[in-house]
Amino acid sequence: MLIIGGGIMGLWAAVKAERLGIDTLLVDADEIGSGASGGLLGALMPHMPDRWSDKKQFQFDALLSLEAEIAALEAETGLSAGYRRCGRLIPLPKPHLRSIAERHQRDALTNWDQGGRQFHWHLLDAPPVTGWVDAAAGEAGFVHDTFAAKVSPRALIAMLKEYLRRAKHVRVVEKCGVATLDANGIASLIDGQRIRFGHAMVCAGHHSFPLLADASGLPSGAKLGVPVKGQAALLQADAHPSMPVVFLSGLYVVPHEDGTVAIGSTSEEDFDDALTTDEKLDVLIAQALQIVPSLGNAAIIERWAGLRPKAIGRDPMVGPHPDHPRVLALTGGFKVSFGLAHRLADAALNALQGKPMNVPVSFSFEDHIRVFNLPN
């Protein structure tokens, strides 16, 4: 099997392939984790507990199982991924949000009580911890979600890479970009070389979309997804790692295990420079300091920008092309990749082995290309 892309999706696919004993070559156009997976945030947040669906169930199961997956890899590699189920704190700045939170609190009692574990969507009048979030940020109170977690993106990438360094069935090659993908089993590299494959799993972030479109024979100009720019910052704050992730209207404040705090993130489909930060990040930082004033004196030690893959319809894209089963997609996670990648990798490998993927229909590669009205 050929895996194209060494971000969070491709690395999990390679780890799972190693466990299955599948001979695998993973290639990355740059260095492992150098794209969107090398970002700063690492917030692992569940969907709202209301109006339960197959997508919410899949995400719930994935977020719940990730804890054990990471613990097993930490034991095998001796490295830490910076994982902690720290919970999430959501200020409620408007009165009408309180009644919505009350409904969600009741929904969580049913929908977040699974597998012998109960998680809560507590509605509170004040923050549950002191010295972290400004009480004035929640005019109508606060939600304390006990299910959310966080991970260090770079530490998790490093741990997966270390696991693969010891692998018997997986070989990793960096600086090896794929230019085109032939559904009949040939990948042409940027340097002109060609690789023959039995199956190719495309996990190359936003670069996946043109590769998959070409291999699928989609009409010229057809887009399976778009790159979305995100900006974030890392502060040296000496924050206690047990503090909950703070979330409000697209703003994330994530305390990491090493005392740093990540702030993000923008979502920009229109941009001039994918890899530079600008005033949009400054606005996010200012908003974060209002809600978490203890960060006021923290030094900014990194400003980051990168492109995340947003597939058609926003859902992840996974599984084989209906007419070209050698080519499989594993991409398009956008903001949810770190929480779902391990389960999506299982699904893609199930498909490769002729087994059911067991994912929501809207996640399938076949469902994503249906908008182009191709005959199956």
Side-chain angles (χ1 to χ4, degrees):
M1 177 175 66
L2 173 66
I3 295 176
I4 303 171
I8 191 65
M9 295 284 195
L11 290 172
W12 270 117
V15 167
K16 299 299 182 110
E18 168 68 13
R19 291 174 178 171
L20 291 170
I22 298 173
D23 289 333
T24 300
L25 172 64
L26 186 157
V27 299
D28 191 276
D30 199 338
E31 297 179 350
I32 296 300
S34 59
S37 296
L40 304 174
L41 288 185
L44 304 171
M45 303 197 310
H47 288 300
M48 300 296 179
D50 64 330
R51 290 182 282 187
W52 209 243
S53 66
D54 59 345
K55 288 197 289 188
K56 290 190 175 186
Q57 185 66 53
F58 184 88
Q59 193 214 33
F60 182 96
D61 293 339
L63 290 176
L64 190 60
S65 65
L66 183 59
E67 185 174 338
E69 291 266 18
I70 286 178
L73 283 170
E74 288 180 334
E76 290 180 83
T77 64
L79 300 178
S80 170
Y83 176 91
R84 184 189 291 250
R85 194 175 299 284
C86 58
R88 167 177 52 168
L89 196 57
I90 308 173
L92 303 175
K94 302 293 183 181
H96 76 277
L97 297 174
R98 189 173 181 92
S99 59
I100 297 173
E102 288 172 344
R103 292 199 302 272
H104 289 166
Q105 182 173 236
R106 294 190 294 269
D107 292 328
L109 293 175
T110 300
N111 295 325
W112 284 6
D113 182 6
Q114 299 185 37
R117 299 184 69 175
Q118 172 73 68
F119 300 98
H120 296 278
W121 185 272
H122 292 303
L123 176 58
L124 308 172
D125 293 326
V129 293
T130 59
W132 181 231
V133 174
D134 186 356
E139 177 186 335
F142 294 83
V143 166
H144 182 213
D145 149 24
T146 65
F147 188 29
K150 52 89 183 285
V151 69
S152 167
R154 293 171 183 175
L156 177 54
I157 292 294
M159 185 174 68
L160 293 169
K161 185 176 180 180
E162 173 62 19
Y163 177 89
L164 293 175
R165 188 184 65 81
R166 311 176 185 192
K168 296 179 180 179
H169 302 283
V170 177
R171 184 162 65 98
V172 177
V173 179
E174 298 176 306
K175 304 290 184 179
C176 184
V178 173
T180 61
L181 195 64
D182 188 315
N184 293 318
I186 298 176
S188 297
L189 303 183
I190 293 173
D191 65 5
Q193 296 185 66
R194 303 205 304 174
I195 297 175
R196 293 189 178 275
F197 59 83
H199 292 88
M201 193 172 294
V202 183
C203 316
H206 69 94
H207 298 293
S208 302
F209 302 133
L211 283 175
L212 290 168
D214 289 344
S216 303
L218 295 183
S220 177
K223 289 187 176 181
L224 287 172
V226 296
V228 178
K229 180 179 178 178
Q231 300 185 46
L234 191 67
L235 281 61
Q236 185 60 61
D238 296 323
H240 197 282
S242 66
M243 293 295 101
V245 171
V246 179
F247 175 74
L248 179 62
S249 301
L251 170 68
Y252 302 77
V253 181
V254 185
H256 286 301
E257 293 295 298
D258 60 0
T260 61
V261 174
I263 295 172
S265 63
T266 64
S267 293
E268 307 164 49
E269 292 192 19
D270 296 314
F271 47 86
D272 295 322
D273 190 332
L275 301 180
T276 60
T277 61
D278 55 32
E279 68 280 355
K280 294 184 180 68
L281 179 56
D282 297 331
V283 170
L284 281 182
I285 294 171
Q287 291 173 344
L289 297 186
Q290 282 189 320
I291 298 172
V292 188
S294 60
L295 300 178
N297 295 322
I300 298 174
I301 56 177
E302 182 176 352
R303 294 168 66 96
W304 179 91
L307 297 179
R308 298 165 295 181
K310 181 180 179 183
I312 295 172
R314 194 180 178 116
D315 286 341
M317 182 188 298
V318 60
H321 187 286
D323 298 325
H324 307 294
R326 284 186 172 194
V327 177
L328 299 99
L330 182 57
T331 189
F334 191 33
K335 293 185 178 181
V336 300
S337 295
F338 272 79
L340 301 187
H342 63 299
R343 279 295 180 94
L344 294 175
D346 287 334
L349 288 166
N350 280 346
L352 185 147
Q353 298 172 92
K355 300 176 182 178
M357 289 201 296
N358 299 320
V359 298
V361 171
S362 62
F363 285 17
S364 71
F365 189 9
E366 180 176 4
D367 194 73
H368 281 80
I369 64 174
R370 188 168 290 140
V371 297
F372 298 104
N373 298 316
L374 292 182
N376 292 331

